Amino acid sequence: MKAVKTLKNIFENPTKQTLDFAGCLFWIGKMSNRLTTYINTNPNFIKENQNRKTIDLGEGSEIIYVPRFVPSDQSWKWFDYLDKEIPWVRPTIQVYGRSCSQPRDTCYVASKGLQGLRYSGYTPHAYSWDECPPLKDILAAVHEALPGSSFNSLLLNKYKNGSDYVAWHADDEKVYGPTPEIASISFGCERDFQLRRRPAKNSSLVQAAHEEPPSKRIKNRVSQNNQQSFVLKHGSLLVMRGNTQRDWLHSVPKRAKADAVRINVTFRHIIEDKSG
């Protein structure tokens, strides 16, 4: 944080020494054109880095949260596109052997040649990136923010109001590998995002989790150290890394006061199927 403030002061109050330093920065910029371009063209660079939060959940699990990842104007442009142009569906899924309507709309996009996705008895149709061009721009922004990431699929969700939700679950499908990185950007209405540590397999909490409705499962059953909660703002980015899907569950609960649409796009990497 101190280094960021010092850098900001150098640019706002130049002296001979700082001009020499700026010359050094120019030389460094030649060695890293992408970073220099980003700093020069993004006036929110310092603010974004100040607001980036990293939460160590322990045992190799990590959360990154950036409340203002996408500028507001661009967020609303992307929200309008996603709301009106994405081919949303509300599929029938299987929950504990029973068929029910998924409590949110969805759409799936993936690169060609990947193994298919299947969850809760549902296999979504995979649209191509070229069918939804703005999604490639959002993907590029995420890759820029997360060096080393290589997302090749995208699951979109649309919550029409506070009655739409996603119950406690983990994105631990085998197609994502043992330690998946999942990056989610939210647009529109703010919603709560909750995490809780998975109980041990031999714990009585496992059985309780199956018997109680989602709204009651978290109450009085986990300590403060075993849960996290975020208010996902318009244009925010949340990243789950490491062992988060192995050791933690997450949900977006119902909220009576959420009276507008929320859309989130979750980027994932599907591992190649080498069995064939």
Side-chain angles (χ1 to χ4, degrees):
M1 184 66 70
K2 183 177 180 181
V4 172
K5 291 182 179 178
T6 301
L7 182 60
K8 181 180 180 183
N9 183 61
I10 287 173
F11 283 117
E12 292 181 347
N13 303 287
T15 64
K16 182 179 184 304
Q17 288 180 321
T18 59
L19 289 175
D20 290 341
F21 180 70
C24 180
L25 282 182
F26 177 75
W27 179 84
I28 295 174
K30 282 189 172 183
M31 305 295 291
S32 181
N33 289 332
R34 292 182 68 186
L35 178 58
T36 303
T37 300
Y38 181 78
I39 294 174
N40 290 338
T41 58
N42 190 341
N44 294 320
F45 171 73
I46 294 177
K47 180 184 292 187
E48 288 174 1
N49 280 272
Q50 287 177 333
N51 284 292
R52 180 173 176 139
K53 303 175 183 178
T54 301
I55 298 95
D56 183 358
L57 300 176
E59 299 182 6
S61 299
E62 182 181 79
I63 298 290
I64 296 174
Y65 181 51
V66 185
R68 291 183 290 276
F69 176 67
V70 183
S72 180
D73 289 348
Q74 184 61 59
S75 291
W76 284 118
K77 290 179 182 178
W78 279 339
F79 172 86
D80 288 339
Y81 170 82
L82 296 169
D83 188 32
K84 298 174 182 177
E85 303 299 331
I86 292 298
W88 298 104
V89 296
R90 183 160 295 217
T92 297
I93 59 175
Q94 297 290 321
V95 180
Y96 302 122
R98 294 182 297 177
S99 297
C100 63
S101 178
Q102 180 174 279
R104 61 196 176 279
D105 294 348
T106 191
C107 181
Y108 179 58
V109 177
S111 300
K112 293 182 179 179
L114 297 177
Q115 55 180 315
L117 173 66
R118 184 174 177 81
Y119 67 91
S120 300
Y122 171 61
T123 302
H125 169 76
Y127 290 90
S128 71
W129 296 99
D130 290 335
E131 292 177 277
C132 310
L135 295 180
K136 294 191 287 187
D137 296 331
I138 304 176
L139 173 62
V142 173
H143 278 158
E144 184 74 24
L146 302 173
S149 60
S150 57
F151 300 112
N152 56 15
S153 67
L154 171 63
L155 189 63
L156 303 92
N157 291 296
K158 179 179 179 179
Y159 302 77
K160 294 182 178 179
N161 52 48
S163 295
D164 282 0
Y165 69 97
V166 59
W168 290 106
H169 72 288
D171 297 319
D172 54 1
E173 287 81 6
K174 291 183 179 180
V175 295
Y176 300 136
T179 56
E181 179 179 47
I182 298 176
S184 175
I185 304 179
S186 296
F187 300 101
C189 183
E190 295 181 359
R191 292 291 294 267
D192 294 328
F193 180 84
Q194 298 179 337
L195 294 109
R196 70 173 185 185
R197 189 181 297 275
R198 286 185 189 239
K201 290 184 177 180
N202 59 352
S203 170
S204 61
L205 297 184
V206 174
Q207 182 63 30
H210 289 289
E211 294 176 349
E212 291 183 323
S215 61
K216 294 183 179 180
R217 289 176 194 168
I218 196 169
K219 295 180 181 179
N220 302 320
R221 294 192 178 276
V222 287
S223 69
Q224 188 64 36
N225 292 333
N226 289 332
Q227 60 181 320
Q228 295 284 338
S229 182
F230 301 85
V231 177
L232 299 183
K233 298 179 178 296
H234 179 54
S236 66
L237 169 68
L238 185 137
V239 184
M240 296 181 282
R241 282 177 164 174
N243 294 322
T244 306
Q245 304 308 315
R246 185 195 71 182
D247 296 342
W248 292 75
L249 303 173
H250 57 275
S251 72
V252 177
K254 293 182 180 181
R255 287 293 183 260
K257 294 183 179 180
D259 57 357
V261 173
R262 181 232 179 193
I263 295 173
N264 81 300
V265 294
T266 56
F267 295 93
R268 302 118 184 275
H269 177 82
I270 291 182
I271 59 177
E272 295 183 19
D273 184 4
K274 298 181 180 180
S275 60

